[in-house]
Amino acid sequence: MMSSQNLSENNSNDEEKPKVKRKCSELGTPEIEAVFPKEECGLQKLALDSQTEPSVGIARDSKDMLSLSSERQSNQDGDGNENETTDMDDSTELSAYEKKRLKNISENAEFFASLDLVETATKLRDVITKKPSHGLKRKKPKKAEDEIVCRRSMRLLKVDPSGVPLPDPSPRPDSVVDQYTRLPPGPLKMMPENQNGENEMFKGVLQMWMKISQPRNKNTQKLSNMKRYQANLTDMIITEDDVCKITKARICSMAIHPSETRTLVAAGDKLGQVGLWDLSQQPREDGIFTFILHSQVVSCLNFSPTNPAHLLSLSHDGTLRCGDFTRAVFEEVYRNEERDFSYFDFLADDASTLIVGHWDAGVAIVDRRTPGTSYEQFFNSNMSLIRTLQVHPVNRHYFIAAGARDVHIYDLRHLKSKGTKPLITLTEHMKSLASAYFSPVTGNRVVTTCADDNLRVFDTSCMSSKIPLLTRVRHNNNTGRWLTRFRAVWDPKREDCFIVGSMARPRSIDVFHESGELIHSFFDGEYLGSVCSINVMHPSQNILVGGNSSGRIHVFKG
């Protein structure tokens, strides 16, 4: 038990010592307030700093700890100033816990000092601050022994089974044919490629052709009503004899002869071949004749409206030819080796002048009455390209052109050599166009085929700046790259109905009214099993011809 004097002295000593309040949140303990002597608080702060500061400063704090602990130990052993020893009494001596704590601090400081963290941090700093090289590292070439040797056949190595190299046969110059090389200019003799030598049957076809190709007056019969027309479509059927392959590649254009006694069909394919088929010949192979007239796609075929013995064909290779079956020759009507042709139409009623569209949006007026060579007038439109064009059936100074996404109607009387502006522009199409055609009788309607899966019908009865859209028919026009694109064409016997191929299954050919109503679908599960992209109707008979992408013709007859 302490005396009252000692207690009073102790209390007086405690009052003289400054007290430090620290929140335990700094020490990582629950948030309470504690009172420590000044020296003890400094030791705790140093201990915390040694645990929270970066590794670079550990060595410096460790030395401070060692010096502080040694001073504290010397004070405990009686070393130091005499004033300090006289002022301290038993109450200021460290407890066993504090002694153990100081011992742990000193041991930890010695351990961190032995790790040489300062030198390690200096080395890391040098590595981090080193500038990266901006040069590209080249890959080391693989060694020959590391590469995997692929096995190759002896045929590719050009050796025989015994290992002896085979001779390399150099191709003869005349055996190498470039499919894009234009045929020589001038007329070509009408000799079928699929017939050998002089064919007596083909001579008989030529004589027959001259008889059925006499000029006739235009058919002015009254159009039948819709019920009668629909009944006629229902009566049209296809048989095995009405399907035949007449071209080597996929069909890109077709035309049907206007004869009312015989059915003659012409088709142009992707490689420049033109095939003719006389359906009255049996067997079917005897009525098929093929001709190589061009070196690229035959994109347009038409029989002359005044002389059906003339068949005109246009190709992307920049040539336009006329097959005259009365003289058995294919004449060259128009040639331009610097431009690719896309489409053509007859400008005059007597077919003496033509309008030719170019892929680069050029338009040429060709006069066939000039002896020897054709006279040409060339104009530039403001379109990016021209896919199809057609002359108005009544007002023949108008023509319509389908481009990339716009349909333009031009007036021939205002064509200019540069920058011709259209009279009317139809801009409702969202994707690329395939075709645009006037209705055949009055030209009061225009049907367009677009890649946005829509068929559109416009009212062109009044040639004003704005042409109203009458109908939008939802139709799958996604033919892909291996099929010829659909072209909706008018039935020449009707003013209000058009024909287009179909992607639906079973395969069919659809007939729509201008209002968007589906009038009839031609299909046959046995004889029509492919997509007919190009279709044409006979101008006076109930005959429909469809061509697919393998060169095959399908004929529906009433």
Side-chain angles (χ1 to χ4, degrees):
M1 298 294 293
M2 293 184 181
S3 61
S4 59
Q5 183 178 359
N6 292 335
L7 289 174
S8 62
E9 291 177 357
N10 291 337
N11 293 333
S12 62
N13 291 333
D14 293 336
E15 291 176 358
E16 293 176 358
K17 294 180 181 179
K19 297 179 180 181
V20 180
K21 292 183 178 181
R22 297 187 61 187
K23 289 185 178 182
C24 294
S25 60
E26 300 177 4
L27 302 175
T29 58
E31 189 174 350
I32 60 174
E33 291 186 359
V35 179
F36 298 100
K38 182 178 182 180
E39 294 176 355
E40 184 179 352
C41 183
L43 291 174
Q44 292 176 354
K45 183 178 182 181
L46 291 173
L48 287 173
D49 294 342
S50 64
Q51 298 177 3
T52 58
E53 287 184 1
S55 59
V56 178
I58 290 179
R60 183 183 68 254
D61 296 340
S62 301
K63 293 179 181 179
D64 297 339
M65 288 290 184
L66 290 174
S67 61
L68 183 60
S69 60
S70 60
E71 290 177 3
R72 189 67 177 175
Q73 189 68 24
S74 62
N75 290 335
Q76 294 176 5
D77 295 339
D79 297 337
N81 297 330
E82 295 178 358
N83 296 329
E84 295 178 358
T85 57
T86 55
D87 293 337
M88 294 180 61
D89 55 7
D90 296 335
S91 62
T92 60
E93 291 182 358
L94 297 175
S95 63
Y97 168 75
E98 291 174 343
K99 290 180 180 179
K100 185 176 181 181
R101 180 172 170 275
L102 291 175
K103 183 179 179 181
N104 291 337
I105 291 173
S106 62
E107 290 178 354
N108 290 338
E110 292 176 357
F111 171 73
F112 284 120
S114 64
L115 294 178
D116 297 331
L117 295 179
V118 177
E119 292 79 1
T120 305
T122 305
K123 293 179 180 179
L124 289 175
R125 190 182 298 108
D126 296 339
V127 173
I128 294 173
T129 57
K130 185 179 180 181
K131 295 181 179 181
S133 60
H134 298 286
L136 297 176
K137 294 183 179 180
R138 296 182 179 179
K139 294 183 179 180
K140 295 182 179 179
K142 295 182 179 180
K143 295 182 180 180
E145 57 270 12
D146 296 338
E147 295 181 357
I148 300 176
V149 179
C150 298
R151 297 181 61 185
R152 299 181 63 185
S153 65
M154 302 184 74
R155 177 183 61 83
L156 296 177
L157 295 175
K158 297 181 180 181
V159 295
D160 60 7
S162 62
V164 179
L166 296 174
D168 187 11
S170 58
R172 294 178 299 174
D174 55 352
S175 64
V176 180
V177 178
D178 185 5
Q179 62 175 344
Y180 296 112
T181 301
R182 290 180 171 87
L183 297 179
L188 299 176
K189 190 176 181 181
M190 192 175 289
M191 291 294 297
E193 295 292 330
N194 61 334
Q195 305 290 339
N196 296 324
E198 295 291 336
N199 193 308
E200 297 297 332
M201 187 175 297
F202 181 64
K203 291 182 179 180
V205 171
L206 293 179
Q207 295 176 0
M208 175 270 303
W209 202 291
M210 288 186 288
K211 293 179 181 179
I212 66 175
S213 298
Q214 298 298 324
R216 288 185 174 88
N217 295 327
K218 291 185 178 180
N219 190 2
T220 58
Q221 63 181 0
K222 186 177 180 180
L223 299 178
S224 60
N225 57 27
M226 182 55 64
K227 291 184 178 179
R228 180 69 179 272
Y229 176 70
Q230 193 170 4
N232 292 335
L233 297 178
T234 306
D235 294 338
M236 296 168 61
I237 61 173
I238 187 173
T239 62
E240 183 180 0
D241 295 334
D242 298 326
V243 180
C244 190
K245 182 179 177 65
I246 67 173
T247 61
K248 182 178 180 181
R250 70 180 182 183
I251 295 175
C252 300
S253 58
M254 280 198 314
I256 186 169
H257 195 276
S259 172
E260 298 179 0
T261 58
R262 301 176 76 100
T263 304
L264 300 173
V265 180
D269 70 356
K270 180 182 177 181
L271 301 180
Q273 188 180 69
V274 175
L276 297 176
W277 184 21
D278 181 7
L279 274 73
S280 61
Q281 295 288 338
Q282 291 296 332
R284 290 172 296 177
E285 291 74 14
D286 293 342
I288 298 174
F289 309 96
T290 59
F291 308 90
I292 298 178
L293 305 181
H294 307 278
S295 59
Q296 294 187 38
V297 178
V298 181
S299 57
C300 187
L301 278 175
N302 278 319
F303 285 97
S304 173
T306 56
N307 187 2
H310 290 174
L311 174 64
L312 285 84
S313 61
L314 177 140
S315 173
H316 292 178
D317 62 1
T319 57
L320 174 61
R321 296 184 181 274
C322 175
D324 187 353
F325 290 91
T326 60
R327 298 188 298 117
V329 65
F330 290 100
E331 298 177 337
E332 189 174 84
V333 177
Y334 177 45
R335 184 184 187 94
N336 192 331
E337 297 185 357
E338 297 179 357
R339 298 177 181 272
D340 296 338
F341 298 163
S342 59
Y343 216 79
F344 86 95
D345 195 12
F346 299 101
L347 187 57
D349 292 333
D350 58 356
S352 59
T353 55
L354 309 173
I355 181 170
V356 180
H358 300 71
W359 273 109
D360 59 357
V363 177
I365 307 299
V366 180
D367 192 344
R368 300 175 60 192
R369 294 170 295 184
T370 306
T373 59
S374 299
Y375 176 71
E376 171 195 0
Q377 287 181 313
F378 186 79
F379 305 95
N380 281 314
S381 66
N382 61 344
M383 305 175 69
S384 59
L385 58 89
I386 293 178
R387 284 196 172 93
T388 64
L389 56 79
Q390 185 191 26
V391 178
H392 195 280
V394 179
N395 302 317
R396 306 196 70 86
H397 53 274
Y398 294 133
F399 73 92
I400 187 170
R405 292 191 178 185
D406 295 336
V407 177
H408 291 181
I409 298 178
Y410 292 93
D411 191 340
L412 288 169
R413 298 169 297 183
H414 301 288
L415 288 181
K416 298 180 181 179
S417 58
K418 293 183 180 179
T420 302
K421 294 183 179 180
L423 180 66
I424 301 169
T425 301
L426 308 179
T427 59
E428 286 80 2
H429 306 88
M430 305 304 296
K431 292 186 178 181
S432 64
L433 284 157
S435 62
Y437 298 111
F438 284 114
S439 56
V441 181
T442 63
N444 292 338
R445 299 289 184 267
V446 167
V447 60
T448 63
T449 309
C450 185
D452 61 0
D453 291 339
N454 282 289
L455 305 173
R456 294 175 173 85
V457 179
F458 297 87
D459 182 6
T460 56
S461 58
C462 180
M463 290 293 184
S464 60
S465 58
K466 293 184 179 180
I467 297 297
L469 174 64
L470 294 180
T471 309
R472 181 186 289 108
V473 181
R474 189 68 179 173
H475 188 264
N476 185 2
N477 296 329
N478 186 15
T479 54
R481 62 176 298 185
W482 304 113
L483 300 179
T484 304
R485 298 182 67 178
F486 289 154
R487 295 178 189 170
V489 295
W490 296 96
D491 185 347
K493 300 183 295 297
R494 302 286 305 186
E495 177 70 10
D496 53 357
C497 295
F498 55 89
I499 303 101
V500 66
S502 175
M503 296 292 294
R505 291 183 181 275
R507 301 307 189 190
S508 63
I509 303 173
D510 298 332
V511 181
F512 287 94
H513 188 261
E514 64 174 14
S515 62
E517 179 186 358
L518 179 63
I519 300 298
H520 184 72
S521 291
F522 293 94
F523 64 90
D524 190 284
E526 186 176 0
Y527 302 115
L528 180 61
S530 58
V531 177
C532 291
S533 300
I534 304 298
N535 304 278
V536 61
M537 269 278 195
H538 195 280
S540 60
Q541 302 297 313
N542 294 325
I543 299 175
L544 170 66
V545 182
N548 66 8
S549 293
S550 64
R552 196 175 301 276
I553 293 292
H554 304 77
V555 181
F556 288 84
K557 294 184 294 184

